[in-house]
Amino acid sequence: MIDIIKTRFIHWKKQRISLLFWLLFPMICTIFIIQLITAIQEDSQIPVGIVMEEDTVLANHLYAKIKNTPILRVVNVTETEAKQKVESHELDSAFVIQEDYEENIKKGKRNWLIKSYSSNLSFAFTPVKEMIISFVQEETGRSKTAHTVHDLSTDSEIKFSWEEVTKKAKNIQVEEDLLLTTFSFANTPNASKDPNITPVNTWGIWAVLSLLSTFLIFDWVIKERKSVLLLRYPFIRFSIKSFLLRNLLLYTMLLFFVDIITVILFHYVLNESLTLAGIGLLFMYRFMINLGAFLSGLMFHRLMSYYGFSFIITMFISILSGATVPIDGLTNRFPWIVIYNPLYSFLEQEWFNPWLLLLLLVVILWRIKGVKYNA
Amino acid sequence: MLEVHSLSKSYGNKTIIQDISFTVQPTEIVGLVGENGAGKSTLLSILATLLKPTKGTIALENLNYLSHRKLLREKIGFVPQDIAIWDNFTVEENMIFFEKLSWKNKNNKELRQLCLSMNLDKWKEPVKNLSGGMKRKLNLAISLIHDPELLLLDEPTAGIDLKSRKEIGSYLKSLATEHEKMIIYTSHDMDEITSICDRVLCIGQDAFYQNLLESSGKPLLAF
Ligand SMILES: Nc1ncnc2c1ncn2[C@@H]1O[C@H](COP(=O)(O)OP(=O)(O)O)[C@@H](O)[C@H]1O
Ligand SMILES: [Mg+2]
């Protein structure tokens, strides 16, 4: 095996540029695509100006709520700036959290808390306004309850302060929000319907890109079976099949090593999770596409047809997996498409991988057939 | 010793080689001549264990070809008609690559010496920069790494300059006499055949080669 490694190193030394390129291609390209999508998402946020006329707990709370809305990009401005920027359409609209906001809420006043500016081009003004009003209404609602409780308790021995009641109400709401979030997370299809979250699947993109790069890296299966060189194999220590299989093993080790680096990099750069189970599934996926590329290589004699096949199979699988084009309509009608997708086990974190077993079986059969033939 | 006994080869009902018998002793060089398509490459492939004969028996050092294919291959060096080397490698890398896969271990110095002995001195040169003659030499050197007893060469001097041709010829001569190898090779160059071969085997029915050979005074092996 050491000798096989040494011969492989001569090849790798010759192709170091292209090999390095295709090894790093899926990892770098995925990071690039994800960063690009994030940037576009940020760019497509609606710019909204907020004027803070007072610095109170309730005003700040409202401000934070607006700022945390994913579709909005909040810009802090003064009222004059707000008018100006809305006029010049730099801001879609602007909202003024007016003086005595907290005071008025506590008093139960519902009008004149927020002032707004919009222009005839403020296409998002109405939904944003509705949203902010609903935030304010939550506060006034809580405040009203607090007043009721407060009024009730003036006569009794227990005294609730206004703050205590609103705090309690907020806590309950936060708990409910939490519940709601976990619910939508466990049920992924629902989560992706949320317009605020674009379903970018880092590993989905990576899986498709590395499928392509693996196929292109595996062109050695064709190059090293060139008919002239085939005449050398009878006069070396290894049969051609054992030579090819040992190299398959070597390539699998190299590629899996790069995969490990990818996992670590994605963990730190893209905040992807880093688990042992994930690495196990990744290895299964790696082994599967290597076997696939290896067997495909054996089917072809001309490099160009093999490259063509690589691109077609990558396109086909990426469409099938919905990684590039959403095919919900198709998969809803034919659910089996999802199951036949070779990326399914990896992306859905299933340990049972029928494609891996199938490809492994074919490679074993290919090897056994060879032994009989050689005898 | 190589013993070939009533060997025939046919594809379907087309007979290429019909009932050939001959022996080759160590130190002997046998030339193989005949027109294109006569079956020279076919015969060499059979002797190299790459093709099975339709009829007849072959034995090398008393090892029968039918039962000892794997073992026999370690004793056979086959130089293919088409140059089978890595074009993107240097001479050195080609030699090391095939040495690693070979049955015999040779160090770099020995490999280099092997190349130098046939005047292949461009050790660090990428193969694609080499002349046709140099490539032929490398093609031959690779086949010699595992020190085969029987060397089979398919047109080793085809299409190369006269100097390289002479160098390969005299190298084969020294290989046979000094290292006691058996060598069988094909060529279209009658002068070359008559100057280095001990005996000549003529394949096919063409009277042209037979007449040529008779006038050269070389002993004929078979018709
Ligand atoms: N696989 C095959 N099937 C049928 N005929 C073949 C096959 N291989 C070679 N031949 C025929 O055998 C003959 C001998 O070929 P070859 O040994 O290459 O001749 P040479 O080397 O003397 O030019 C040719 O006529 C060729 O067409
Ligand atoms: Mg020929």
Side-chain angles (χ1 to χ4, degrees):
Chain A
M1 196 63 196
I2 290 288
D3 286 331
I4 297 275
I5 294 173
K6 283 179 184 161
T7 57
R8 187 48 49 190
F9 266 107
I10 303 180
H11 277 301
W12 285 347
K13 208 173 77 197
K14 293 286 146 184
Q15 325 154 334
R16 58 185 174 266
I17 306 283
S18 72
L19 182 66
L20 208 65
F21 176 81
W22 287 115
L23 282 178
L24 301 180
F25 168 77
M27 157 193 338
I28 290 173
C29 225
T30 305
I31 292 179
F32 179 75
I33 289 173
I34 297 290
Q35 306 279 29
L36 197 71
I37 290 174
T38 319
I40 289 171
Q41 259 176 356
E42 272 164 18
D43 227 39
S44 61
Q45 287 174 325
I46 304 158
V48 169
I50 298 290
V51 185
M52 294 281 280
E53 286 191 344
E54 69 166 32
D55 184 23
T56 55
V57 176
L58 282 187
N60 281 322
H61 180 242
L62 177 65
Y63 175 77
K65 271 201 114 161
I66 298 170
K67 202 173 166 79
N68 285 337
T69 308
I71 51 160
L72 298 185
R73 182 164 56 84
V74 170
V75 184
N76 293 322
V77 281
T78 65
E79 193 162 349
T80 1
E81 277 172 347
K83 264 192 265 182
Q84 212 179 345
K85 287 191 174 174
V86 170
E87 255 169 42
S88 66
H89 309 300
E90 207 176 307
L91 293 174
D92 182 82
S93 42
F95 298 85
V96 186
I97 301 174
Q98 290 190 299
E99 229 180 309
D100 300 330
Y101 170 78
E102 181 168 304
E103 193 61 38
N104 286 331
I105 292 242
K106 281 188 178 176
K107 281 185 194 150
K109 246 183 97 176
R110 280 162 173 255
N111 301 324
W112 306 110
L113 299 171
I114 306 283
K115 193 159 84 184
S116 64
Y117 291 99
S118 63
S119 71
N120 51 354
L121 282 178
S122 301
F123 69 95
F125 173 65
T126 316
V128 174
K129 185 187 71 186
E130 295 297 331
M131 196 185 70
I132 293 178
I133 287 174
S134 78
F135 290 161
V136 176
Q137 268 168 357
E138 267 174 42
E139 288 295 351
T140 52
R142 264 198 291 263
S143 174
K144 207 176 153 198
T145 321
H147 281 296
T148 321
V149 175
H150 188 75
D151 292 344
L152 284 175
S153 61
T154 39
D155 304 327
S156 70
E157 282 155 31
I158 320 147
K159 301 238 186 295
F160 289 103
S161 73
W162 183 89
E163 275 85 7
E164 261 179 283
V165 177
T166 45
K167 205 174 154 202
K168 179 94 181 143
K170 249 182 232 166
N171 278 346
I172 291 166
Q173 205 194 2
V174 166
E175 273 164 30
E176 275 171 3
D177 277 349
L178 214 62
L179 264 175
L180 203 70
T181 345
T182 33
F183 171 72
S184 61
F185 183 73
N187 199 340
T188 348
N190 275 358
S192 62
K193 270 179 203 141
D194 189 333
N196 295 336
I197 302 161
T198 317
V200 244
N201 184 343
T202 307
W203 285 109
I205 294 171
W206 177 87
V208 170
L209 293 176
S210 65
L211 183 75
L212 178 66
S213 80
T214 304
F215 266 75
L216 296 182
I217 286 174
F218 266 68
D219 62 359
W220 63 271
V221 179
I222 293 173
K223 285 181 185 159
E224 287 163 39
R225 272 167 47 254
K226 261 200 303 194
S227 53
V228 223
L229 283 156
L230 276 179
L231 286 171
R232 294 270 176 212
Y233 289 102
F235 303 99
I236 60 173
R237 245 182 320 141
F238 306 93
S239 74
I240 177 151
K241 293 195 178 183
S242 115
F243 178 80
L244 293 175
L245 281 177
R246 281 157 201 259
N247 278 301
L248 168 65
L249 188 70
L250 264 185
Y251 268 98
T252 304
M253 292 190 318
L254 173 73
L255 286 161
F256 188 55
F257 172 72
V258 176
D259 292 346
I260 299 278
I261 297 176
T262 307
V263 175
I264 295 169
L265 205 67
F266 281 7
H267 176 64
Y268 286 108
V269 179
L270 302 177
N271 290 319
E272 289 290 329
S273 66
L274 177 72
T275 61
L276 218 56
I279 292 176
L281 283 160
L282 180 63
F283 178 74
M284 281 172 62
Y285 177 70
R286 162 57 58 209
F287 199 38
M288 182 192 82
I289 54 176
N290 282 11
L291 290 176
F294 182 74
L295 288 172
S296 308
L298 291 178
M299 292 189 324
F300 288 91
H301 285 283
R302 285 184 34 231
L303 271 176
M304 277 307 141
S305 6
Y306 174 75
Y307 290 150
F309 176 78
S310 305
F311 280 105
I312 288 168
I313 202 101
T314 308
M315 282 245 279
F316 184 71
I317 288 178
S318 71
I319 289 171
L320 206 64
S321 67
T324 45
V325 191
I327 50 159
D328 289 352
L330 210 62
T331 47
N332 286 345
R333 216 176 317 157
F334 311 106
W336 51 265
I337 288 185
V338 179
I339 312 291
Y340 284 114
N341 173 15
L343 304 190
Y344 180 80
S345 301
F346 174 57
L347 295 180
E348 297 301 319
Q349 321 215 325
E350 285 276 352
W351 285 101
F352 177 67
N353 188 337
W355 278 95
L356 175 62
L357 296 178
L358 179 74
L359 292 170
L360 202 58
L361 188 74
V362 175
V363 169
I364 291 169
L365 284 178
W366 171 79
R367 177 68 186 128
I368 292 171
K369 207 183 95 205
V371 172
K372 247 196 264 165
Y373 174 80
N374 267 348
Chain B
M1 188 171 69
L2 175 73
E3 296 158 280
V4 178
H5 189 69
S6 26
L7 180 82
S8 297
K9 175 74 187 177
S10 37
Y11 288 113
N13 51 16
K14 186 178 164 203
T15 302
I16 312 290
I17 297 165
Q18 196 162 21
D19 200 29
I20 297 182
S21 300
F22 64 92
T23 60
V24 183
Q25 304 285 349
T27 74
E28 255 188 325
I29 299 182
V30 172
L32 215 52
V33 296
E35 60 190 318
N36 277 332
K40 303 182 295 296
S41 298
T42 307
L43 178 59
L44 284 182
S45 296
I46 292 171
L47 295 177
T49 74
L50 302 175
L51 273 181
K52 285 201 172 116
T54 317
K55 270 211 314 260
T57 54
I58 317 167
L60 175 63
E61 294 177 340
N62 295 320
L63 293 173
N64 191 293
Y65 267 51
L66 275 178
S67 40
H68 296 95
R69 204 142 75 117
K70 267 244 105 89
L71 201 62
L72 281 162
R73 284 180 175 172
E74 295 183 35
K75 299 174 180 295
I76 296 171
F78 179 69
V79 184
Q81 185 167 2
D82 297 308
I83 296 175
I85 52 183
W86 291 107
D87 266 335
N88 53 333
F89 288 9
T90 64
V91 172
E92 180 185 24
E93 285 161 343
N94 262 293
M95 291 301 280
I96 291 174
F97 183 91
F98 287 105
E99 186 271 335
K100 294 294 167 223
L101 303 178
S102 167
W103 290 286
K104 280 255 166 64
N105 283 329
K106 282 206 157 90
N107 61 33
N108 273 22
K109 213 178 132 207
E110 288 170 306
L111 291 175
R112 182 146 195 200
Q113 192 49 50
L114 178 58
C115 291
L116 283 175
S117 59
M118 56 186 94
N119 237 342
L120 173 55
D121 49 7
K122 303 250 165 72
W123 188 241
K124 297 269 182 198
E125 195 74 20
V127 165
K128 53 178 176 288
N129 298 346
L130 294 185
S131 68
M134 290 286 184
K135 283 186 192 172
R136 284 276 170 202
K137 287 175 183 173
L138 180 57
N139 199 35
L140 169 57
I142 289 169
S143 307
L144 288 171
I145 290 173
H146 60 285
D147 287 329
E149 305 295 322
L150 171 65
L151 187 58
L152 305 163
L153 306 98
D154 203 348
E155 304 193 19
T157 55
I160 60 172
D161 60 287
L162 191 63
K163 182 167 169 282
S164 299
R165 212 186 279 208
K166 293 270 183 232
E167 282 166 348
I168 289 177
S170 61
Y171 178 69
L172 290 178
K173 194 85 199 162
S174 73
L175 210 57
T177 51
E178 288 160 33
H179 299 94
E180 309 198 327
K181 309 282 186 199
M182 298 166 257
I183 297 175
I184 303 177
Y185 92 103
T186 69
S187 175
H188 287 290
D189 184 338
M190 265 311 154
D191 289 340
E192 186 183 292
I193 292 274
T194 49
S195 71
I196 54 171
C197 293
D198 301 299
R199 289 185 295 156
V200 180
L201 177 63
C202 185
I203 302 254
Q205 308 303 315
D206 199 329
F208 174 76
Y209 285 94
Q210 291 166 23
N211 291 338
L212 254 181
L213 286 165
E214 269 163 24
S215 61
S216 76
K218 282 276 167 181
L220 286 177
L221 262 172
F223 291 92

